Amino acid sequence: MLQTLITSKTRIKLLLKFFLNIQNRGYLKKLEVEFADSSNGIRLELNRLEEAGLLVSQLQGNKKMYQANTHNAIYKELHSLLLKHTGIDQVIDQVLNQLGELQSAYLTGALARGIDAHNIEIMLVGDLNESYLQQLITKAEGLIQKKITYHLYNSLEFQIQKADLLANAHLHLFGEA
């Protein structure tokens, strides 16, 4: 549906990159490689989004780094729209909110880096009933038509490996950070 409202594929990629996970930052050459798209098309869209106040930039050396403008009046709405577009809102509603012993949950993988994917990867922390978790995931997969993969850690495992596990791009979805 998002492709119907926003006809520029590059603009959709940029919105996903910067508005799905506010930790994401990028510069033109990196985005060109990541999107496998022309630098001119990406530059035009970056300029449009910056002129609209949706992105902010700063120079770091000779690179102009972009990130979402979280102070923009429609930031929260864009973020919510992208959660719905990717199906993450349904994962939160249908899976994460149903697990009583869940301590925290993180989005990992391509979506956490702001790249649209057919697979939602999540990392869960808590002492969970894995068969019940699998039932909830199967139900959510049917609703969003995407595969959900998860990595489950108990509290102790997570604390021991926390720095390594959170070193890669991630988006905190639920519970304690």
Side-chain angles (χ1 to χ4, degrees):
M1 180 173 92
L2 195 57
Q3 293 84 350
T4 304
L5 294 172
I6 303 171
T7 56
S8 167
K9 291 179 183 179
T10 302
R11 189 174 304 150
I12 291 173
K13 289 177 185 178
L14 289 169
L15 290 173
L16 284 165
K17 172 74 176 176
F18 296 116
F19 284 85
L20 193 58
N21 184 350
I22 64 167
Q23 296 174 12
N24 288 337
R25 299 166 37 104
Y27 58 93
L28 181 61
K29 289 295 180 189
K30 180 181 174 189
L31 294 168
E32 180 182 8
V33 171
E34 189 175 305
F35 295 169
D37 206 345
S38 76
S39 61
N40 193 43
I42 295 170
R43 182 182 300 113
L44 287 171
E45 291 299 338
L46 286 169
N47 289 339
R48 286 179 182 137
L49 292 172
E50 188 174 24
E51 285 172 20
L54 295 173
L55 294 179
V56 293
S57 66
Q58 65 181 28
L59 286 176
Q60 286 187 346
N62 64 347
K63 296 174 185 163
K64 188 172 183 181
M65 298 294 289
Y66 294 89
Q67 67 185 71
N69 180 2
T70 58
H71 301 293
N72 186 288
I74 64 169
Y75 166 78
K76 288 182 182 179
E77 286 81 5
L78 274 173
H79 178 72
S80 178
L81 178 67
L82 293 169
L83 288 176
K84 289 177 176 96
H85 169 72
T86 57
I88 296 169
D89 66 323
Q90 289 294 316
V91 173
I92 293 169
D93 289 344
Q94 300 295 321
V95 179
L96 303 183
N97 287 337
Q98 305 300 317
L99 295 169
E101 298 298 317
L102 182 64
Q103 294 172 352
S104 57
Y106 301 87
L107 178 69
T108 61
L111 280 174
R113 294 188 305 275
I115 301 168
D116 203 2
H118 296 291
N119 186 32
I120 296 177
E121 298 175 51
I122 54 177
M123 178 174 49
L124 305 170
V125 181
D127 298 315
L128 305 176
N129 177 332
E130 201 159 355
S131 64
Y132 180 56
L133 170 62
Q134 190 56 55
Q135 289 174 9
L136 293 174
I137 285 181
T138 300
K139 179 180 174 186
E141 286 175 334
L143 291 171
I144 62 173
Q145 301 300 306
K146 287 189 178 187
K147 178 81 174 129
I148 302 169
T149 56
Y150 65 90
H151 302 281
L152 181 58
Y153 299 91
N154 66 38
S155 301
L156 182 58
E157 290 171 326
F158 182 72
Q159 288 305 318
I160 292 170
Q161 301 177 50
K162 186 175 185 174
D164 291 334
L165 293 171
L166 297 181
N168 294 323
H170 68 280
L171 173 62
H172 184 252
L173 296 174
F174 183 90
E176 306 166 11

